[in-house]
Amino acid sequence: MLQSGDIIGGMYQILREIGKGGTGIIYLGYHLRLQKQIVIKRIKDNYTGQLNVRAEADILKRLHHTFLPQVYDFLAVGTGIYTVIDYIPGYDLQHYLDSGCRFSEKTALLWMQQLCEVLEYLHTQSPPIWHSDIKPGNIMITPQGNICLIDFNISLDGNTAKEVQGLSQYYAAPEQYENALAVFYHRKANAVVDGRMDIYSLSAVFYRIMTGLYPSPDKGAPYPITEMDIPYSEGLKCIVKRGMEKNPSKRFQTAAQMKKALLRAEKMDPRYRILGVFQALSWAFYGLLTVSGLLLMYAGGSIWQTENWQKAYSRLYTAVQNQNEIEIVTEGTDMLNDFILRGYMDEHPEEKGEVLHTLGDSYFRQEQYKTAAAYYEEALTEDRDNSLYLRDYLTGMARAGEYVDTAAAAKKYPEADLEESETMFVEAQIAYAQEDWERALEKLHQALAQNPEGELNARICSLEADVYTSLGDTAAAADAAVRAAGMDPERDLLRKAGQLCFDAGNVQSQNTVKRSYYEKALGYYDKLCAADSPSYEDQLNNALVLRALGQYRESLYRLEEMKNQDPDDYVVLMWMCFNYLDEAAVNGEYGNVSSDLKFCYNSCRTAYQKKNTTDKNMETLIEIMNELE
């Protein structure tokens, strides 16, 4: 036990003990060289073998963020293990909850956005870092009213094992709870844990703040927050509800996605204060019936407009989350053409710009670059200081083969004020469109050297993958795509990483390297297939990667699921036949699969003939089966 006045490491003086946690004793200390207060944490002896405290210190020492404490040192002194971190003045959130404090929606939104910001930073590290123990006691509230996320005792990164033994009673995600039980009962922990567990825990914390009730990882919320009469908007309640979905695929998939939803919470839940204003006016000017009537009509019309906007915006938002390009274009175009909504958007040009930009993104993903550029430009006219719109407009122009002058664009739209990394990215897009691969890579590396934000960083790496693909360097392309997906796990980036890893595996001669790429590809396709409404291509690719890994039975199981959806799809039946053949070849025995193979092949051949098409893979299968007969 350390005493007041003790000095450890020759630099850190103990002032007093200030607390005890589940895994450590906390001391207030003094940094003799920096002459500032610090926190010194000693890990309890019975935990030193269970916690990778050096990993905790190394993780934190390389991180620098406004809402994280700075770690100064890691010490092993005698039998004691210590970490030395910033002293964060103030109290933790648990202190305020224990004191019976309630918080306004404005405060809750601020703290949630700050937590999403720091989680986005952590989750987009390479490898990604998952806090894995978000709870009120680990959220400090500074005297300035901001948060600071502390205590990485059970932090996980992308290179650690997935067995999670530590968890918080009320705030752990269901998959964490499931794995902890498995470890306790000496069973294999099968649940996948990733950054979405932090999103659950963050949401559970604010469920507790907003409702006063305790959630639990095994039973979930004791009462649906959206059905409770509490002084918070429906938009915020819906966000918390989605963040606490038991199935990780139904939650927000990234902290950035959740932060974006929080910024839109007010749009999702209009407060019709204007009605109250005009009602008050009508009483004040009771005698002026005509004027009052007009005002009330205006208020009612405004509310009606707003209600229609919220419904349409929600439909568009859902389509974007599902990445359904047809629905995005349909909903977005309908919004722009709707007479009532046009009136609303005339009064809210920034929101019109958002719809236009969303349509531009959809057309860009569909490689209709000229149309995308037109929508981006129109979005820019509605919101001229938005650098994202300017960047994407110039990118769309470059991909469409148009001449792009970044300097002239900066003069035309000075309010947008492109950062240097954005300018480098646009110039890389220009070089890519001109098939000047070396210059494209040069500009991309210059952009990366500017340490851009997560979304732009991901797009830079995604374009880097495209350049390497054009150069025929499949391994470098796959590695760049992996970095992109790690920074921004949107479906299109996950899909690109899966496909390029699979391609890289196909050309490798060394079996260990080949398998490594295949396993990475499988991880991405597993994520895509775990989401709501996975695409046909993602499901099929998932089965093909399993086949490449020699997991024939699992591949057959996935294909069987697809066959149940469409029994006459010859492509699915064809790959089932190849799986039977591969399994038989490995085992050197066709007897075990003969009847299943023949039945499947007959159905496949019939379905193929009905299609009246030519498929090289199918023709190969026919040749193989003819030889076997």
Side-chain angles (χ1 to χ4, degrees):
M1 177 77 66
L2 294 175
Q3 303 296 324
S4 177
D6 288 351
I7 295 175
I8 62 172
M11 195 179 302
Y12 313 112
Q13 185 174 31
I14 302 297
L15 297 180
R16 66 178 185 276
E17 182 181 316
I18 56 175
K20 294 181 179 179
T23 58
I25 302 173
I26 315 297
Y27 301 92
L28 180 65
Y30 192 76
H31 196 304
L32 297 174
R33 181 170 59 81
L34 297 180
Q35 297 187 347
K36 62 183 294 186
Q37 287 186 331
I38 51 172
V39 168
I40 302 168
K41 180 167 67 173
R42 174 172 178 166
I43 305 301
K44 291 181 180 179
D45 293 339
N46 61 325
Y47 278 90
T48 56
Q50 297 181 37
L51 296 175
N52 189 352
V53 290
R54 182 176 291 279
E56 176 190 351
D58 289 343
I59 286 170
L60 281 172
K61 282 172 77 172
R62 73 172 187 255
L63 300 178
H64 301 279
H65 194 279
T66 306
F67 304 132
L68 289 176
Q70 182 62 50
V71 166
Y72 296 112
D73 212 345
F74 167 88
L75 300 169
V77 181
T79 60
I81 298 174
Y82 304 89
T83 53
V84 182
I85 66 174
D86 256 338
Y87 170 69
I88 308 299
Y91 297 98
D92 60 41
L93 191 51
Q94 188 63 53
H95 167 84
Y96 292 104
L97 291 175
D98 291 343
S99 302
C101 294
R102 302 302 296 266
F103 302 100
S104 68
E105 173 151 340
K106 182 178 179 181
T107 299
L109 273 171
L110 172 67
W111 290 346
M112 289 179 79
Q113 287 166 9
Q114 289 179 345
L115 283 166
C116 282
E117 184 178 325
V118 73
L119 287 181
E120 181 183 3
Y121 173 76
L122 293 172
H123 293 177
T124 54
Q125 295 297 303
S126 182
I129 296 168
W130 311 319
H131 186 282
S132 74
D133 193 24
I134 295 175
K135 58 184 179 182
N138 285 340
I139 301 171
M140 294 293 297
I141 307 300
T142 69
Q144 293 75 33
N146 298 313
I147 64 97
C148 187
L149 184 59
I150 63 172
D151 203 343
F152 279 64
N153 267 339
I154 56 173
S155 294
L156 306 173
D157 65 30
N159 292 331
T160 60
K162 293 184 178 180
E163 291 187 353
V164 184
Q165 298 185 45
L167 52 78
S168 297
Q169 180 181 2
Y170 302 112
Y171 308 103
E175 58 269 28
Q176 279 180 280
Y177 183 77
E178 180 183 335
N179 277 3
L181 287 180
V183 172
F184 182 79
Y185 289 110
H186 305 291
R187 301 194 302 260
K188 184 179 179 182
N190 293 318
V192 175
V193 291
D194 54 27
R196 293 173 295 183
M197 66 181 167
D198 285 344
I199 289 171
Y200 177 95
S201 297
L202 186 160
S203 304
V205 166
F206 282 87
Y207 178 91
R208 166 77 175 89
I209 289 173
M210 293 164 65
T211 68
L213 302 174
Y214 288 95
S216 69
D218 56 335
K219 298 177 182 177
Y223 198 81
I225 191 170
T226 51
E227 297 178 15
M228 299 180 71
D229 185 14
I230 52 178
Y232 297 97
S233 69
E234 293 303 315
L236 183 57
K237 288 191 282 187
C238 286
I239 289 169
V240 171
K241 178 178 181 292
R242 181 176 174 188
M244 288 183 67
E245 287 284 355
K246 187 171 183 179
N247 184 342
S249 68
K250 294 184 178 180
R251 297 176 205 153
F252 297 100
Q253 297 302 288
T254 66
Q257 193 182 76
M258 187 175 188
K259 184 175 73 174
K260 192 172 184 180
L262 288 165
L263 293 171
R264 296 172 173 175
E266 188 175 342
K267 300 178 187 178
M268 302 289 285
D269 177 52
R271 298 294 181 95
Y272 304 136
R273 296 188 180 93
I274 190 169
L275 178 60
V277 171
F278 284 119
Q279 285 176 334
L281 286 172
S282 69
W283 284 107
F285 297 95
Y286 182 76
L288 303 175
L289 294 177
T290 303
V291 175
S292 298
L294 288 172
L295 289 171
L296 287 169
M297 285 174 63
Y298 178 80
S302 176
I303 292 170
W304 185 43
Q305 262 189 349
T306 306
E307 286 178 334
N308 278 277
W309 166 260
Q310 298 305 326
K311 290 175 183 177
Y313 187 88
S314 294
R315 290 194 298 271
L316 178 62
Y317 181 79
T318 300
V320 171
Q321 295 304 307
N322 294 332
Q323 285 202 340
N324 187 320
E325 305 300 351
I326 295 174
E327 286 187 9
I328 291 171
V329 171
T330 301
E331 295 293 345
T333 305
D334 286 349
M335 290 175 76
L336 294 174
N337 292 331
D338 187 282
F339 175 76
I340 296 169
L341 297 182
R342 281 211 306 268
Y344 178 89
M345 286 185 283
D346 286 344
E347 296 178 4
H348 303 84
E350 290 184 1
E351 296 185 17
K352 182 179 181 181
E354 197 173 316
V355 174
L356 290 162
H357 185 261
T358 300
L359 282 168
D361 281 346
S362 180
Y363 281 111
F364 192 93
R365 285 190 294 269
Q366 298 173 64
E367 299 183 5
Q368 298 183 38
Y369 300 122
K370 192 169 184 177
T371 304
Y375 276 111
Y376 289 144
E377 184 178 25
E378 195 173 348
L380 190 56
T381 61
E382 299 292 336
D383 189 359
R384 295 179 64 89
D385 62 354
N386 195 315
S387 64
L388 173 64
Y389 295 175
L390 176 56
R391 184 198 82 191
D392 288 351
Y393 164 58
L394 296 176
T395 295
M397 290 283 286
R399 286 295 189 96
E402 302 290 337
Y403 173 73
V404 176
D405 186 335
T406 54
K411 288 182 180 179
K412 184 177 180 180
Y413 299 101
E415 307 96 325
D417 191 24
L418 284 179
E419 294 181 358
E420 189 171 354
S421 57
E422 292 176 303
T423 301
M424 293 296 104
F425 175 66
V426 171
E427 291 182 359
Q429 289 279 7
I430 296 169
Y432 178 80
Q434 296 171 347
E435 300 186 0
D436 187 345
W437 314 128
E438 289 187 8
R439 179 170 171 78
L441 285 175
E442 178 190 351
K443 292 297 178 183
L444 289 171
H445 295 156
Q446 288 176 2
L448 287 170
Q450 301 298 318
N451 295 316
E453 293 295 323
E455 181 268 344
L456 177 57
N457 207 336
R459 304 230 171 265
I460 291 169
C461 291
S462 179
L463 181 57
E464 187 181 2
D466 292 337
V467 175
Y468 281 124
T469 298
S470 300
L471 289 168
D473 190 340
T474 54
D479 293 344
V482 166
R483 281 186 274 117
M487 296 167 196
D488 187 3
E490 289 187 352
R491 288 189 192 182
D492 56 336
L493 294 179
L494 291 173
R495 193 169 290 122
K496 176 182 280 189
Q499 184 61 60
L500 289 177
C501 284
F502 187 57
D503 292 344
N506 288 338
V507 300
Q508 296 300 318
S509 57
Q510 201 172 358
N511 284 336
T512 54
V513 179
K514 179 187 288 285
R515 187 171 187 84
S516 174
Y517 277 117
Y518 284 158
E519 286 175 345
K520 287 180 183 178
L522 181 61
Y524 292 119
Y525 284 119
D526 279 345
K527 285 184 179 180
L528 289 164
C529 291
D532 291 334
S533 305
S535 71
Y536 173 91
E537 290 77 12
D538 290 337
Q539 293 178 78
L540 183 60
N541 286 332
N542 185 258
L544 294 181
V545 176
L546 285 165
R547 173 176 175 257
L549 283 165
Q551 300 180 32
Y552 304 119
R553 283 288 138 182
E554 185 63 25
S555 179
L556 277 168
Y557 173 73
R558 302 293 172 88
L559 291 168
E560 190 75 42
E561 287 183 327
M562 296 182 71
K563 189 189 81 169
N564 292 336
Q565 298 170 23
D566 184 1
D568 296 325
D569 184 352
Y570 85 86
V571 174
V572 170
L573 295 167
M574 175 186 73
W575 288 115
M576 289 178 69
C577 290
F578 277 121
N579 268 299
Y580 285 127
L581 289 166
D582 289 341
E583 185 178 23
V586 170
N587 296 330
E589 175 59 60
Y590 283 87
N592 294 334
V593 300
S594 178
S595 59
D596 289 336
L597 173 59
K598 287 180 180 178
F599 180 79
C600 186
Y601 175 68
N602 288 334
S603 300
C604 176
R605 185 81 182 264
T606 302
Y608 177 61
Q609 289 171 343
K610 286 181 181 178
K611 281 289 184 182
N612 193 26
T613 187
T614 302
D615 183 325
K616 286 177 62 177
N617 290 318
M618 187 63 201
E619 295 300 324
T620 300
L621 177 62
I622 292 170
E623 289 178 13
I624 293 171
M625 293 303 294
N626 286 339
E627 290 176 8
L628 287 176
E629 292 175 359

